[in-house]
Amino acid sequence: MTQTTSDIIFLLLVGGKSSRMGEDKAFLPFGKISTFIKILIKKISFFKLNFFLSLRKEQLPRYESMVPKNCFIFDQFENIQGPLCGLMSAHHFLTSNYIQYNAIFTLAVDTPSIKMKSIKRLIDRYQENPNVSGLFYRTKNGIEPFCAIYNKSTLEEWIQSYYQNPSIEFSLQKRILALEKTTVLINLPLEEEFFFQNINSKKDLKLYHR
């Protein structure tokens, strides 16, 4: 693979099993003519940065017509659960393929309403603080781990700690709290909190479409 370089890389997390929803949330309707994943790809594309999809290999048939083949990153670590697997797999893939980057911006596929200004604010703050371990929003419910920026050095440390001790903490919130002294925490404006809500079930979807 040709070596490429990017300051920030977007990682759209689509690898969840959607057990509460009963179907892949990425393809749920967003408005009358779009879907969750299409609207998020459109928002990501606005920033003209490289992006990848984090997914399980068995999901590929549904996604391969949506983005180029080199945009897929498959889960690499079978004994790591949840979005942490996606993040660590992304770092492993990018470094193994000589794709230089400085940070990963994560977005969850079940947050299609996320505001562009929420994304841009994090990017702008990262440009001011490129050496911190991560940039995260703080809400009334705690630290937001998905609309967030993770520094490459942080992910490298997590990979190395995994190799030394595979029995690791899966919770991103707990891992972020452990980094607190070296992160930037931004208070999310109250009027933007609604748009960070994850749509996890049919009930959530009905409330969303009201």
Side-chain angles (χ1 to χ4, degrees), residues 194 202-210:
F194 172 81
K202 299 291 187 183
K203 181 179 178 181
D204 292 342
L205 189 60
K206 286 180 180 179
L207 291 173
Y208 168 76
H209 281 301
R210 278 186 173 180

Side-chain angles (χ1 to χ4, degrees), residues 12-28:
L12 182 55
L13 300 165
V14 302
K17 294 186 177 180
S18 302
S19 54
R20 280 180 282 176
M21 184 65 69
E23 60 182 293
D24 194 330
K25 290 182 282 188
F27 300 97
L28 292 172

